[in-house]
Amino acid sequence: MRNVKISAVGSWVPPRILSNADLEKLVDTTSDWILERTGIEERHIADADVATSDMAIEAAKRALAERGTTAEDVDAIIVCTVTPDHMFPSTACIVQHKLGAKHAWGFDLIAACSSFVYGLTTAAHLVGAGTHQKVLVIGADTMSRIIDYTDRATCVLFGDGAGAFLIEPGADGEGGFIGFKNEVDGSGGDMLKMPAGGSRMPPTHETVDQRLHFVHQEGQAVFKFAVKKMGDISAQLLEMHGLKASDVKLMIPHQANRRIILACADRLGMPHENVLINIERYGNTTSGTIPIATREAMDTGRLEKGDLVLFAAVGAGFTVGANLWRWAI
Ligand code: UT7
């Protein structure tokens, strides 16, 4: 496999903010409860006329502009999302057309909060195989469209946003993709899901009345699984490559709950200052968290060429994933 690098990163979040104080007016909750239990202070919410593809395109444009390249040079587009514009056509097709990526094929990748890590793994192999030169991996979710704003257990957690990585061949010794470990444990499927709207439970008046087109979650079960698995898979991946937690300059984990992230860092024996947390300003943007956080790490000088970066996530399914990259830009 040839060397593969992340060559550019872009992100976009909608400007409108939903604060904890705003949520106090919607459901029986308090700002203190939300902050203490999740670490979230505010999240961004898309306007009614903004769909997932719109955010995906903005993030992709920023990544392409940073690299100084055009959409016509892109060979493939992977849109990681659980909130596609439609069941079909795929959001990747909409992004391909509106971006003007005339030579790209693409598809949507659904692995909930692990989608972006799975997308990175996939893109690394498309480019690594030598068959693709430029692959866009976009994580974009408009979670506010599938959240029940009468359910205090879920509505405080999520926000909207998107981020995009451009993946390209790297020169020998330049750094780039080191390895991955991804897993699925489908026995956890009922713990976090949107029950209706698919072929198992097509939309009917009854499913709408029962609010089954919204996210339903067994919060504590997901919490426990996430702490254990995000830590374990990261440790296993490091060990596979003869590396230690202390070798990692920055861990960029999925942002679902500040307590999950810190417990995972403790499990790995990683100092908290080596873990990027920005959940306070975005909440859980599902596929968007990792690329949004990565862009922030670059903007705040927390990533330098040569740094070892660990991406890790746990999501509905259950899906679990980790990627190791040597930062090359
Ligand atoms: O990306 C992957 C997807 N999701 C996750 O990773 C999320 C995983 N889970 C979590 O982050 C946490 O379980 C939550 C933040 C969802 C909940 O925190 P918790 O500490 O596990 O709380 P809990 O579910 O055990 O609930 C504790 C209490 C309950 O009241 P009682 O039964 O003790 O009287 C809840 O009804 O807190 C109550 N509660 C709330 N109170 C105020 C639940 N949600 C709220 C709320 N405001 N928003």
Side-chain angles (χ1 to χ4, degrees):
M1 189 161 141
R2 69 178 165 172
N3 196 28
V4 180
K5 67 177 181 184
I6 297 161
S7 63
V9 177
S11 69
W12 191 84
V13 294
R16 186 153 61 97
I17 285 176
L18 181 68
S19 68
N20 288 354
D22 296 330
L23 283 161
E24 284 181 350
K25 294 175 201 138
L26 290 177
V27 289
D28 179 17
T29 191
T30 63
S31 290
D32 288 348
W33 190 96
I34 301 170
L35 188 58
E36 189 186 310
R37 296 295 182 117
T38 71
I40 303 167
E41 292 173 30
E42 59 186 33
R43 58 297 282 143
H44 292 250
I45 302 292
D47 285 341
D49 61 347
V50 172
T52 294
S53 66
D54 301 314
M55 298 194 297
I57 287 165
E58 287 305 319
K61 278 184 180 167
R62 289 175 184 205
L64 293 172
E66 187 198 26
R67 178 69 178 86
T69 191
T70 69
E72 290 200 23
D73 287 333
V74 174
D75 299 318
I77 300 170
I78 304 172
V79 176
C80 310
T81 187
V82 291
T83 51
D85 287 21
H86 315 282
M87 289 290 276
F88 68 89
S90 73
T91 303
C93 293
I94 298 166
V95 170
Q96 180 271 342
H97 174 62
K98 289 192 179 167
L99 259 189
K102 288 186 197 145
H103 308 294
W105 66 289
F107 57 91
D108 290 0
L109 192 160
I110 302 178
C113 297
S114 307
S115 301
F116 194 79
V117 172
Y118 285 14
L120 267 187
T121 305
T122 307
H125 287 83
L126 290 176
V127 175
T131 52
H132 293 71
Q133 297 299 318
K134 285 187 171 61
V135 177
L136 264 176
V137 187
I138 307 171
D141 267 304
T142 322
M143 294 305 291
S144 59
R145 299 289 147 73
I146 59 167
I147 292 301
D148 182 350
Y149 285 95
T150 67
D151 174 14
R152 70 175 183 175
T154 52
C155 75
V156 301
L157 304 174
F158 295 92
D160 301 335
F165 281 13
L166 188 63
I167 309 296
E168 294 188 61
D172 285 344
E174 195 183 10
F177 184 58
I178 296 171
F180 74 99
K181 185 155 174 53
N182 296 333
E183 287 176 6
V184 163
D185 178 356
S187 69
D190 285 335
M191 298 296 155
L192 177 51
K193 67 187 207 181
M194 189 173 110
S199 61
R200 178 67 63 194
M201 203 185 283
T204 62
H205 289 293
E206 287 73 30
T207 61
V208 172
D209 289 345
Q210 290 167 33
R211 311 184 82 74
L212 296 173
H213 302 266
F214 292 123
V215 171
H216 290 252
Q217 173 169 244
E218 300 293 332
Q220 277 192 15
V222 178
F223 188 100
K224 283 182 195 149
F225 185 87
V227 169
K228 179 173 178 348
K229 292 302 288 192
M230 201 157 77
D232 287 358
I233 204 157
S234 300
Q236 287 161 16
L237 178 59
L238 286 165
E239 195 184 335
M240 277 163 61
H241 294 278
L243 294 160
K244 300 184 295 298
S246 55
D247 295 320
V248 175
K249 176 71 188 308
L250 192 63
M251 178 178 186
I252 305 183
H254 170 55
Q255 312 279 316
N257 186 316
R258 184 183 174 85
R259 290 185 296 137
I260 292 178
I261 295 171
L262 294 180
C264 168
D266 292 343
R267 215 177 154 82
L268 273 171
M270 191 171 289
H272 293 180
E273 61 268 24
N274 291 4
V275 182
L276 197 136
I277 300 180
N278 67 355
I279 192 171
E280 65 278 5
R281 276 165 289 122
Y282 303 102
N284 181 351
T285 55
T286 302
S287 309
T289 59
I290 287 177
I292 291 170
T294 305
R295 184 63 248 179
E296 183 165 319
M298 294 165 74
D299 292 342
T300 53
R302 292 186 69 180
L303 268 179
E304 282 171 17
K305 197 170 174 145
D307 286 347
L308 185 65
V309 188
L310 170 66
F311 301 106
V314 165
F318 290 120
T319 53
V320 187
N323 264 222
L324 268 175
W325 293 70
R326 180 81 54 195
W327 201 247
I329 46 177

